Structure formats: structure tokens, C-alpha cells
Amino acid sequence: MPYQSFGDLRISFPGHTRYRDYYRELNLDSACVKVGYRVDDVNYLREMFTSFTDQVIMVRLTADRPGKITFNAVLTTPHQDALVDTDGECVTLSGVSSWHEGLKGKVEFQGRLATRVQGGAVSCRDGVLTVEGADEAVVYVSLATNFINYKDISADQVERARQYLEKAMQKNYTEAKQSHIDFFKAYMDRVSLNLGTGSTEQLPTDKRVEKFKTTHDAGLVATYFQFGRYLLICSSQPGGQPANLQGIWNDKLFPSWDSKYTCNINVEMNYWPAEVTNLSELHEPLFRMTREVSETGKETAEIMYGAKGWVLHHNTDIWRITGPLDKAPSGMWPSGGAWLCRHLWERYLYTGDVEFLRSAYPIMKEAGRFFDETMVKEPLHNWLVVCPSNSPENTHAGSGGKATTAAGCTMDNQLVFDLWTSIIATARLLGVDTEYAGHLEERLKEMPPMQIGRWGQLQEWMFDWDDPDDIHRHVSHLYGLFPSNQISPYRTPELFDAARTSLIHRGDPSTGWSMGWKVCLWARLLDGNHAYKLITEQLTLVRNEKKKGGTYPNLFDAHPPFQIDGNLGGCAGIAEMLIQSQQGFIEVLPALPAVWKEGSFKGLCVRGGGVVDASWKAGRLEKLTLHSRVKSAFKLKIPEQVKRVEVDRQQCDIQNGFIHLALDEGEQCEIVMKYKL
């Protein structure tokens, strides 16, 4: 079922068509919007935010002269058969989600609109809220549904909406706003990024994006990075739903791809920044969804495959569907559960939280059991493979380029390898399932290796079917390079080179989310200049183009249409350019492009429970501070030209290009690089 918009708050201001000096901003320090303009000799200001702490939208309307706030406010919706009414001093809008694909909508909702004013008069009748001659007005909108979880829709949406509104309206506006800002900043201020300033910072955002290819506006890149974090903070709060294809910004009843959870890349991409950019708690909605699809996926595994465990195909929704949907090129892919389980394992790697891993282990184990029961031996090599499946949404030459269904696709092999390997490691860490872990180890030996094809590429399929002219947006077989770590310049140099060859042939321009993934991939290939080229492609202004990826004037990612995953994938890619920890050691500035000659960051996270601040000049790392949230041992890669390293002003020995650090929980150390002349 589609993710749908409630509708709109519309405010009309008589006589304000003669405005001038219009200005609008989204403040990434406060998650508040301002709109200012002048009519005749009066300056008007609108301040807007969606309160994290009070669960209402607030709009404060002021002017620099008394008695000038006059407006009519209404709630509108594209939903059919919605009812607009008046309840005392409130406007209400009630309805139910739409019919779709022969199924009746079941989510009942209500919105409530009210105001508090200083001076002037207020009336509410026939679904219209009217304010005349006020000095100031604060407009409130509360929204609620009957949804509790995918099995329970028994909540009272009317009472919910009423309570949200009444509670919020009892508060002083200034205090309510500050409460909202404090909540937001507790997440946002964990990370800062400075890549330098330029001459375009005073221009409107769309102009900065339009000029980016020539200005190389480093400040815009830092803003784009923080905008990605802002989007995740706003659309993935603990206790809510995970960020879907458009986050919470979908404005349609029937959006593209229903604005659901596409599990063959898009929903996972939304959460790539969660751990590394210090937003670990925001992973919780995805983990809860993973737990819920592990419940519904048991039925799908049993009915479709006659198997134990659980399965998720390429898509799910709020009702946690797990069977195939849409067409075979996307729907007949059974590996969504394995990819979601990767996020459970990454949470442990970043935090060292054994209790979290203990709670996640049954989900991982049952996902692994499904593949153990359903994988089959292919006849040519006798390899253990997933079949039927596909390399998501791409066609292969084994059918003349017209079919997708295949066995033993490289991405499936990589996903199952990660899943089984994490199950084995977890079982041993927790001291459970020794026999089962040993069984999976033996099964891993039966699986296909990653293969290098006839033109030096990493093969996407079990057979050498890759087309060197294929520029498909999905680069699924490169999952092993990112977000996984199966392909490494240090452990698997031949596969590393083959992955680079594949990525070169795929090309750079693509859909917005695909370019976000490619930023991450080029960062893992340790090529900062090429990663930056992809950022340049991504920060290409898109206004109305139908088939061109890039960025809309408001910094939203253009698939097109708008998809939030490109923003969040690009955010994660910038972090990967600045810090990596997947190899078992920390590498700072592994893919620094030439244009970022000096800069700094604070608060980026590494596996092992560490948090890093760093600064650099002339392209060389100068200083970093490593904080440890848990008792942990860290290994830090030292740049080649470094002569000596000082840790807390004491010289530290460099051993084979690394230094070793052991920190207690809450401990930190400062590390300074001294370079050769």
C-alpha cells in the first residue's frame, strides 16, 4: 500500500500579492523555517517548525507594526470523501487512506487546526479559521492516525490529535520552540564539517547548485552533508516508521513506487549515514521493521518455498509484506532480509553493544536458515547458489539482454556470505549454536567465489555475461566493495581492480541515488578525485528534466522524481571520503580530493566504538582526537610521509605504518602528525 500525504495547511493573507523583498530559509542549526517579505511599509515574518517534542506543526506570524496580522487558514486534502468540520475553536479534517490495487484503505486519520493570538479577533466556522487585526498569531496543526503497528489499528485518532493539540497550546511559544531546537541539536551538533568557504555562500541555494561545477563551492558540499543528516533526524525518529523512498516529504496520494521501502538498495541506503555520522539511535525504526518482517516473512518462506526461517523480497510497506510484488525483474529477488541483517551487524561493529547483538541474533539466524534450506547446487560447478533470483533490476546477456532471472548472482553470494559470516561470529561471541555455526562454515565453502570476467570486470552473474557498455543504474555486484568489505585493496587486490573496472564501465551520470552509491564506491576505491566528480554530478541542478539525476533547487535528490536515498547515500559517501574503518583499522582522509586542501571534522564514528575529530592542511592530516565510548583497542593507519607521531604529546612508535591504541570507556587521546621535510 502507498505512503500517502495527509494534505495541506493553506493560509491566505488579503492584500499580500503586492509583496517584495521575499526571503526564505531552512536553518540546519534549528530545523526551523523562516519566510520574510514586505507589503507596502510593513515587514512580515513567518516562523515554522514541526515540533519533535510536542508533535505539532507551529507557524508563528508577526509583523513590525501592530494589528497587521489578518488571514484565513484551512486544511485541504487530496483524499476522497474526507470531511472538513468545525469543533469549537478548531478546524478538523478527517478521512481514511485510499483504495489501492483492489484493497480498501484502513488508516483512519484526523488533523486539527487552531490558533493563539495576541490582540485582534478569532473566529472558526465552516472549516475556516479566521484571524483579523492581531499583533501576533501562532497557528497549530496536529495530525494523528489509528495505526499502532502492522497488526493493530485500534488507536483513536481523534483523541490522539486532540491531546497533541491541547498539550502543545498550553505551552509558551518561545519555550516550545526552544524545546524543539534543543531536541534537534542534541543529534545535529554531534558532527561538524568544515571544507572551507567560497565566494558563493551569500547566493540562494539553487544558484549555488547551478554554479557548483565552476565554483567548487566547498561550503555547499558541507551543507549537503549536513542536510542529509537533517533529513534522517527528521524522518527516522525512534518509535516511528523508517525513512522510506521520500522520507516524510511525499505530497501525493499515489507517489512513484508508492513511496514504500525498496529493499534491494534504497531503504538500506537511507541508513548508511546512521552509524558513521553519529546518529546511531535513528537506526531503531529500521531495526524494528527488520524484526517485524522477520515475523511476517516466516509465513512467506513456508508458503512459497516450503522452508523454515524468514524471507523478504525486494519491497515492503507499513503492513510488512514480504512476498514478491511488481514484475519479475525486481520482484523475484529473495535477499532483502540478508541485506537488512547487515545493518544489525554494523550496529554491533560500531557500538560494541553485545546486548543489542544478543537481541538481534535470532533474527539473523532465522534469515540465515532460510538460505541454508533453499539454496541449491548448480550443475556446472556444483556450487551452492540462490535460485531463482536476479541481480536487482538488470538484464543479462545469457538471454540476449532481455531477462533478469538467474542463479548464483554475485550480489546474492555476497549477501549470503555476509549473513552467514555474521551469524558464525555472533554465535561464537555469545557462546551458542556451536554446531550450527560449524555447519554454516562448511556451507560457505560450497558457494561460488567472486569471479573476474573476460574484460577484467567483476562479474555480475555466475557466468561471464557482463556487457562492457552496460550503464545500468544498479551496481549490485559491487555490494562487496560497499557497503560490505569483502573486496579490499589490501586483502583482495585483484578483485579490487576488477571492481574498479566494472565501475568505470558503468559510467558516472545516472539517477541521483545511483550517483550517491558511486560516491561511496569511489571512496572505497581510495580515489577521492573521482568520488568528488560524482559529487559534482550529483550537485547538478535539475528543475524539470524527466530522466536526469541530480539535485533539485531545494537540495532534494532527483532520481528523478525526488527520492531521499540519494541525499542520504551522498551524505554517507562524503563521510567515507573522510574516514574509513572497515579494514580493521582507522584510516583518516582515505579519499581526500585535491580541491579540499584544508578542513576539519568533528564527531565521525568508527567501528570499535570510537569517535574521531580531525583537521588537515595542504591536503595532509595534521591532528586528530580519538574518543572511545567503550573499552576498546584501535589501530590507526599513518600517512606515508609522516616522520613521527605524538600521542598526548608523547612520541609514539609507528609499526609497519600503524600505531596501536588501547582506550578505556570515556577515554580520549590527541594524535599529532609530524611530516618529513
Side-chain angles (χ1 to χ4, degrees):
M1 300 295 281
Y3 175 61
Q4 298 191 311
S5 170
F6 164 84
D8 292 285
L9 164 65
R10 298 184 181 273
I11 307 176
S12 60
F13 301 91
H16 285 211
T17 55
R18 304 184 305 275
Y19 67 88
R20 57 191 172 92
D21 301 333
Y22 183 88
Y23 171 82
R24 182 174 186 269
E25 73 170 30
L26 165 65
N27 190 316
L28 293 182
D29 294 324
S30 64
C32 295
V33 169
K34 286 184 180 180
V35 174
Y37 57 91
R38 185 175 180 84
V39 177
D40 298 330
D41 59 347
V42 181
N43 293 305
Y44 292 90
L45 179 65
R46 295 205 298 266
E47 301 170 88
M48 296 164 277
F49 61 93
T50 303
S51 174
F52 287 102
T53 48
D54 289 316
Q55 296 301 313
V56 294
I57 298 164
M58 295 188 194
V59 183
R60 182 175 182 246
L61 306 168
T62 57
D64 63 358
R65 289 180 57 187
K68 291 296 182 179
I69 302 300
T70 296
F71 65 87
N72 295 311
V74 298
L75 295 175
T76 65
T77 184
H79 287 272
Q80 300 296 315
D81 302 322
L83 175 65
V84 177
D85 203 351
T86 303
D87 182 2
E89 297 181 347
C90 294
V91 173
T92 64
L93 192 157
S94 306
V96 62
S97 55
S98 303
W99 281 77
H100 185 61
E101 303 206 12
L103 294 175
K104 186 179 186 296
K106 295 182 178 180
V107 178
E108 297 177 8
F109 58 84
Q110 184 175 88
R112 300 178 75 85
L113 165 66
T115 187
R116 287 281 183 265
V117 299
Q118 295 180 15
V122 179
S123 63
C124 187
R125 64 175 65 92
D126 299 327
V128 180
L129 180 68
T130 300
V131 171
E132 295 181 286
D135 300 331
E136 173 186 309
V138 180
V139 177
Y140 300 82
V141 178
S142 66
L143 306 171
T145 75
N146 64 338
F147 182 89
I148 296 175
N149 57 50
Y150 76 97
K151 296 182 288 187
D152 187 349
I153 52 172
S154 64
D156 184 338
Q157 70 277 5
V158 175
E159 187 59 27
R160 275 181 167 180
R162 180 182 288 115
Q163 288 183 7
Y164 290 150
L165 186 65
E166 290 177 354
K167 183 178 178 182
M169 293 182 71
Q170 291 172 3
K171 292 187 176 181
N172 174 279
Y173 171 80
T174 302
E175 293 175 355
K177 180 181 176 183
Q178 192 59 53
S179 176
H180 159 82
I181 293 172
D182 290 345
F183 184 99
F184 174 72
K185 288 173 75 66
Y187 290 106
M188 195 68 176
D189 289 357
R190 295 174 185 176
V191 172
S192 64
L193 175 60
N194 175 22
L195 298 174
T197 58
S199 59
T200 63
E201 291 195 341
Q202 299 306 312
L203 293 176
T205 302
D206 61 331
K207 296 297 183 185
R208 293 179 72 181
V209 176
E210 188 174 41
K211 296 174 178 291
F212 182 74
K213 285 190 177 181
T214 55
T215 61
H216 298 288
D217 184 348
L220 180 63
V221 178
T223 298
Y224 188 78
F225 169 81
Q226 292 287 34
F227 182 63
R229 297 182 67 244
Y230 159 85
L231 294 175
L232 191 60
I233 294 168
C234 293
S235 63
S236 185
Q237 280 295 311
Q241 294 300 311
N244 55 37
L245 278 179
Q246 294 177 322
I248 54 174
W249 292 273
N250 169 47
D251 61 348
K252 298 178 176 61
L253 283 190
F254 300 104
S256 299
W257 306 286
D258 298 333
S259 194
K260 298 196 298 288
Y261 301 102
T262 306
C263 304
N264 64 17
I265 174 63
N266 308 95
V267 70
E268 292 90 355
M269 179 180 281
N270 284 352
Y271 287 88
W272 289 348
E275 301 297 336
V276 68
T277 75
N278 217 328
L279 299 173
S280 185
E281 303 96 316
L282 306 189
H283 234 146
E284 186 273 339
L286 186 72
F287 297 152
R288 186 158 33 83
M289 186 180 83
T290 302
R291 180 171 289 106
E292 290 172 350
V293 293
S294 77
E295 296 165 1
T296 58
K298 290 178 182 177
E299 184 179 13
T300 305
E302 184 175 359
I303 292 173
M304 283 193 64
Y305 298 90
K308 301 295 185 183
W310 66 275
V311 62
L312 170 66
H313 292 80
H314 97 290
N315 215 308
T316 191
D317 63 3
I318 199 171
W319 309 114
R320 305 316 188 220
I321 180 178
T322 53
L325 67 149
D326 301 332
K327 301 176 182 178
S330 51
M332 286 302 299
W333 182 75
S335 302
W339 200 339
L340 289 180
C341 285
R342 175 73 193 182
H343 285 257
L344 302 173
W345 180 241
E346 284 286 336
R347 156 60 76 84
Y348 167 72
L349 293 179
Y350 270 95
T351 65
D353 188 342
V354 175
E355 290 309 307
F356 170 82
L357 189 61
R358 194 185 308 276
S359 69
Y361 176 66
I363 299 171
M364 298 158 59
K365 178 182 175 182
E366 292 304 305
R369 185 186 302 277
F370 167 79
F371 289 103
D372 186 28
E373 292 203 7
T374 59
M375 290 170 69
V376 296
K377 291 294 185 73
E378 55 84 24
L380 186 61
H381 309 90
N382 207 35
W383 286 332
L384 188 65
V385 297
V386 178
C387 179
S389 186
N390 57 57
S391 189
E393 303 185 35
N394 201 2
T395 56
H396 58 73
S399 64
K402 295 181 179 179
T404 60
T405 305
C409 300
T410 298
M411 186 190 213
D412 286 336
N413 301 332
Q414 295 167 340
L415 285 166
V416 173
F417 177 89
D418 270 357
L419 177 60
W420 284 355
T421 301
S422 64
I423 292 169
I424 293 165
T426 303
R428 289 182 173 156
L429 179 67
L430 301 179
V432 299
D433 292 333
T434 302
E435 184 176 341
Y436 184 61
H439 167 72
L440 291 184
E441 277 193 319
E442 293 303 311
R443 295 286 268 174
L444 281 170
K445 296 175 184 177
E446 302 176 62
M447 289 183 61
M450 284 182 278
Q451 302 175 81
I452 298 173
R454 65 190 184 282
W455 44 277
Q457 87 283 10
L458 183 71
Q459 285 183 201
E460 186 165 357
W461 289 272
M462 184 169 59
F463 299 105
D464 196 355
W465 289 336
D466 301 70
D467 180 354
D469 296 323
D470 179 10
I471 56 171
H472 196 270
R473 63 195 177 280
H474 283 261
V475 284
S476 303
H477 54 310
L478 300 186
Y479 164 91
L481 177 64
F482 183 93
S484 183
N485 183 39
Q486 296 171 37
I487 299 172
S488 161
Y490 310 105
R491 292 179 285 101
T492 60
E494 295 84 4
L495 293 173
F496 185 79
D497 290 341
R500 181 193 290 111
T501 298
S502 290
L503 193 55
I504 290 170
H505 281 262
R506 268 302 204 264
D508 292 336
S510 189
T511 57
W513 68 261
S514 179
M515 292 190 289
W517 193 358
K518 290 172 183 175
V519 176
C520 299
L521 290 166
W522 281 110
R524 283 285 175 92
L525 288 168
L526 308 179
D527 191 334
N529 288 332
H530 207 134
Y532 181 78
K533 182 178 184 298
L534 263 299
I535 292 174
T536 303
E537 297 286 354
Q538 200 167 23
L539 285 173
T540 297
L541 188 64
V542 175
R543 293 193 185 274
N544 298 308
E545 289 92 338
K546 298 244 180 192
K547 293 187 178 179
K548 181 179 181 183
T551 296
Y552 290 117
N554 65 350
L555 284 190
F556 274 162
D557 170 73
H559 177 285
F562 161 56
Q563 284 190 193
I564 197 177
D565 42 27
N567 289 104
L568 294 166
C571 173
I574 293 167
E576 287 291 321
M577 295 166 73
L578 299 172
I579 197 161
Q580 295 180 21
S581 59
Q582 73 281 357
Q583 305 284 359
F585 55 82
I586 301 168
E587 187 169 7
V588 183
L589 309 183
L592 188 71
V595 292
W596 298 345
K597 297 187 184 302
E598 63 179 70
S600 63
F601 64 79
K602 291 184 178 180
L604 293 181
C605 297
V606 294
R607 293 164 182 86
V611 183
V612 176
D613 309 335
S615 60
W616 67 94
K617 288 185 179 178
R620 301 200 306 187
L621 178 64
E622 283 200 329
K623 183 173 70 174
L624 65 101
T625 302
L626 175 62
H627 318 252
S628 187
R629 290 173 166 167
V630 295
K631 185 175 182 179
S632 190
F634 298 94
K635 187 177 176 182
L636 178 67
K637 190 174 188 293
I638 302 302
E640 290 184 2
Q641 297 301 313
V642 169
K643 181 180 179 181
R644 74 174 193 274
V645 178
E646 293 179 359
V647 178
D648 291 335
R649 301 188 180 182
Q650 302 294 318
Q651 187 165 334
C652 181
D653 291 335
I654 302 172
Q655 302 175 15
N656 299 319
F658 297 91
I659 63 169
H660 297 261
L661 302 161
L663 300 179
D664 287 328
E665 180 180 348
E667 190 178 2
Q668 70 176 47
C669 61
E670 184 180 89
I671 304 162
V672 178
M673 308 292 167
K674 301 293 184 179
Y675 286 85
K676 302 172 185 176
L677 296 177

